[in-house]
Structures are given as structure tokens and as C-alpha cells.
Amino acid sequence: MMTQTPELPLHMRRNGLSPVEELAWARDGEGVVRVETPFGLPAYLVCRHEDVRQVLSDPARFSSALTPFPGSGQMNADELAKMQAGQMIGFDPPEHTRLRRMLTPEFTVRRMRRLEPRITEIVQTALDDLERAGKPADLVAHFALPVPSLVICELLGVPQADRAEFHERAVRLLDTSLPMEQRVAAQREDRAYMAGLVDRAQADPGEDMLGMLVREHGDDLSTDELIGIAGLLLLAGHETTSNMLALGTLALLRHPDQLAMIREDPAQVEPAVEEMQRWLSVVHSLPPRTTTTEVEIAGHAIPAGSLVICSLPAANRDPAFIDDPDILDITRGAAGHVAFGHGVHHCLGAPLARMEMRIAFPALLRRFPGLALADAYEQVDFRVFSLVYSLRTLRVTW
């Protein structure tokens, strides 16, 4: 029996490295349009930069906690409670604040700077592996994926040997073309794996982040919350950054003048990272919010109890936010973009992601000054049904 591939929701549609024109029309026209979520539920899609910031900064009217948990229809109440525990992105203040407060000290810019020497080593090791693979080589497999995966593994205390296993699960968790049964199965596998990690950390807390949470907050966090926090950090810590490294490299190869600027001038790296975040917006949207009262956005009345989705690519390319939004210009820095979200759910790991990219891009471009695509751009294989836009492979030569 053949399974029909679902239609791609508007906010997930891309044309290579850019959002589709229909998304820009929605933003520049109505500003808010009716869509379906990847799970088939009706929702309002918010497209303008200022409106997206408004939604994301107002958890009282746009609730994360009231939004249905993906796959909840296939779980009983006990399993659903276990799956939701510790998932900060699914809570509103004050519960969200309680969970996040325990993690915030570990993700400050100052703490991240202590990781810089180790991240530099991991990047160099990955570059050695890429070179040993011989040209043409897959940049995703040998560089973009290993760097953030190894960093988050070491940070959380995850065995490096398990990297391939959790990446395969992550791909299934994020693939909206799969039947919900398969994605729920991946959720269950992931939780079982995380439960094993937490059990070992509780028995013998190490110096990693899980060990820290057990030692310092063991009385404040339930075992289910520890499992949820670990799973969320592991998924978010490698999927988004690995895809930014791959897609960012592809974007620079399409803009060789800007690639050369990053390679030759260290001062260009930080603004380049911000601009690439804005221009690529690898996360299509954050989890939907549910309105707690009737609200008005861009002149549209949205009833209480409605799902609201924020399009991050549309917002980040809003001409009301930034001039010439469809042009990649690494010199401008793009302060104020929403690629990391906004408000109380602003990405906790943003300082870590920025540091990884700031180290990785120049190191790659200096090691391989002749870096080039091994295939035509039209042959690049995008994961179009992934909740985090990504590449399956990126074959490069040098």
C-alpha cells in the first residue's frame, strides 16, 4: 500500500536557500493568513517582523502551554505527562521560568568562552577528517554534523559512540512527511535513551551539564524533568547548528566575494554569522502558540483558542525590518533578527551556536581556500519536510 506524501505547509516551503514567493506575498499583503500545521490542524500564520516579535514576547495572550503536544493523540495521560515534563518550549511562565533559571548560568557568554579551546580542537579534528576523506567529500557527514554533535555530547555527557544513533532519531523526529506513528515511536525511543543517561548521571554525577543538574538541582527537578531537559538540549544543540554550518557554507559558495571576506578578515565573522542566521532562518517556525483571548494582528481578529504560527524566514526578510532583505550582506550584522526566537523562549543555546559558527566558518575556509561545490547547485539535496531546514548531503571539492 502506497503512502501519500503530505502537502508541505506554506511556512515550510522554500526555493533553495530562500523562502517561496508566496510567503513574501502573504507577509506584504494580508500579513496573517490561514494555514494548516504539519499535523493537519488549522492555524493563523503571522509573517511580519514586528507582529512575530509581538506574538513571541507575549506568553500571556499567546500560550505555549495550551498548544497540543505533537503525537498526544496516541498517548495516554500518564505517558503524555512524562513526555511533556522538562520541555521548556511547551511551558509558559512561571513554570518555564523555573526550568530555564536552572540552565541559564550554563549558557552565558562567559561560560561559553571557556569552551572555546575545546571547540577549536573539535573543529580542527573535523577538518582533518574532511581532508582524509578525499575530494569530493560530504561536508555534512565530515564537518557540519560532527562539530556541534561532539560539542553537545561533551557538554551533556553523551557517549560519542551514540552520535549516529541519536542523529538518526532526530531526523525522524523532525520529518513531517513520516506518519505520526513513526514520529511517536522515535519520541519513545529518544525518551528511553535519555532515561538511561539520566539514570547513570543520578548514580554518579559527572562534571558535565547533566551531572551539574543532578548535583545542584536534584531536589528541584523530577527524573522526568531531567529526561525532558536532556532530550531537548541534545536535539536543539546539534540539529540547528549543524544545518547552519551546512547551509551557511552553501550560501557562501554562492556568494564568493563574501566568502573571501570571511576567510581573509577575522573581524567579518561575527556580523556574518548574524546575517547568515537572518538570511537562512533554518528554523521555519517555533512551536505554535495558542491564543488565550481574542487578539488582533495586522488588522485580523483571531479568536481565543486559535493556533498561531510565526514564520521566521518571512519575518527576517521583512522590508519593514531591514533594507534589501533578500540580499545576503554579511557586513551589516542584521541585529534584531528572530532566527533564535524572541522573548522568554529566545534560544538558550544562542551563545554556544554563535561561538561554534564563529570558529568553524573561518577555519573551514582557511583550510580549504579552493572550496567549491562538487555538483551543480541544482543537484543539492535539501530536506524539505524537516522542521529544521537542512541538507542531506553537500559534496564539496577543493
Side-chain angles (χ1 to χ4, degrees):
M1 180 177 176
M2 293 184 64
T3 302
Q4 186 176 6
T5 302
E7 183 180 357
L8 201 61
L10 174 60
H11 67 283
M12 292 179 64
R13 297 177 197 165
R14 307 265 183 152
N15 179 14
L17 293 170
S18 297
V20 293
E21 286 187 350
E22 291 87 344
L23 197 54
W25 297 337
R27 178 196 62 224
D28 301 338
E30 293 293 315
V32 175
V33 294
R34 298 297 300 271
V35 295
E36 280 193 355
T37 71
F39 314 109
L41 299 174
Y44 291 85
L45 183 65
V46 178
C47 302
R48 295 174 183 166
H49 183 265
E50 191 54 42
D51 295 335
V52 165
R53 285 170 62 94
Q54 175 191 336
V55 171
L56 298 181
S57 62
D58 189 355
R61 293 194 303 154
F62 301 93
S63 169
S64 297
L66 295 178
T67 300
F69 189 80
S72 58
Q74 300 186 29
M75 304 174 194
N76 61 36
D78 181 62
E79 182 181 22
L80 181 58
K82 289 180 181 293
M83 286 289 191
Q84 289 179 302
Q87 298 285 336
M88 290 181 293
I89 57 175
F91 289 100
D92 300 323
E95 183 63 9
H96 168 269
T97 310
R98 178 184 76 87
L99 293 169
R100 185 165 174 130
R101 187 183 294 127
M102 301 178 202
L103 289 166
T104 299
E106 297 302 308
F107 285 97
T108 62
V109 173
R110 182 175 59 84
R111 290 283 182 99
M112 291 301 103
R113 285 194 182 122
R114 296 193 315 199
L115 296 175
E116 187 165 357
R118 180 59 186 138
I119 295 174
T120 300
E121 288 179 9
I122 288 172
V123 167
Q124 293 304 322
T125 299
L127 290 173
D128 292 342
D129 181 55
L130 181 65
E131 190 165 14
R132 277 194 302 270
K135 51 188 179 182
D138 181 8
L139 188 91
V140 173
H142 294 286
F143 184 72
L145 184 58
V147 169
S149 296
L150 284 169
V151 171
I152 199 66
C153 279
E154 291 194 6
L155 204 58
L156 285 174
V158 177
Q160 291 186 16
D162 296 346
R163 283 193 303 118
E165 177 189 339
F166 77 66
H167 175 63
E168 185 275 332
R169 275 198 309 271
V171 169
R172 283 188 285 140
L173 282 167
L174 297 171
D175 187 350
T176 61
S177 71
L178 293 179
M180 184 53 76
E181 293 82 2
Q182 292 185 34
R183 298 181 65 201
V184 170
Q187 287 182 42
R188 289 170 174 150
E189 292 168 25
D190 196 59
R191 190 180 185 283
Y193 175 77
M194 294 300 162
L197 287 182
V198 169
D199 185 58
R200 291 196 292 274
Q202 288 174 325
D204 183 20
E207 296 303 312
D208 51 73
M209 194 173 296
L210 263 185
M212 178 278 295
L213 287 171
V214 169
R215 281 194 309 274
E216 298 183 16
H217 303 289
D219 295 334
D220 306 314
L221 292 169
S222 69
T223 295
D224 287 334
E225 286 176 327
L226 282 167
I227 292 168
I229 289 170
L232 179 61
L233 292 178
L234 186 59
L235 179 66
H238 87 278
E239 270 300 315
T240 50
T241 308
S242 68
N243 295 326
M244 265 304 303
L245 290 175
L247 286 163
T249 301
L250 177 59
L252 291 173
L253 289 172
R254 300 280 290 170
H255 296 80
D257 56 331
Q258 301 193 55
L259 182 153
M261 291 168 66
I262 295 174
R263 185 181 62 229
E264 294 162 12
D265 182 3
Q268 293 292 347
V269 177
E270 290 193 24
V273 165
E274 297 308 310
E275 173 69 350
M276 285 192 286
Q277 287 281 341
R278 178 200 72 82
W279 196 74
L280 290 167
S281 299
V282 298
V283 178
H284 303 291
S285 66
L286 301 174
R289 302 325 198 236
T290 300
T291 53
T292 60
T293 184
E294 181 177 308
V295 297
E296 183 177 306
I297 302 177
H300 296 264
I302 300 177
S306 301
L307 286 181
V308 174
I309 298 174
C310 292
S311 172
L312 303 186
N316 279 333
R317 294 198 182 202
D318 187 346
F321 159 56
I322 199 164
D323 294 334
D324 299 318
D326 293 322
I327 293 175
L328 179 69
D329 178 3
I330 63 166
T331 65
R332 61 179 160 191
H337 69 75
V338 291
F340 284 120
H342 181 68
V344 297
H345 288 286
H346 182 270
C347 177
L348 183 67
L352 177 60
R354 285 183 166 111
M355 174 169 284
E356 290 178 90
M357 288 184 277
R358 180 174 60 78
I359 294 170
F361 280 122
L364 170 68
L365 301 178
R366 289 169 191 155
R367 173 72 75 91
F368 302 106
L371 193 70
L373 290 178
D375 305 303
Y377 172 71
E378 292 72 23
Q379 294 177 277
V380 173
D381 193 3
F382 295 90
R383 290 188 190 274
V384 295
F385 280 96
S386 177
L387 290 172
V388 180
Y389 197 49
S390 55
L391 299 173
R392 287 187 173 82
T393 59
L394 184 66
R395 285 176 10 109
V396 295
T397 187
W398 51 86

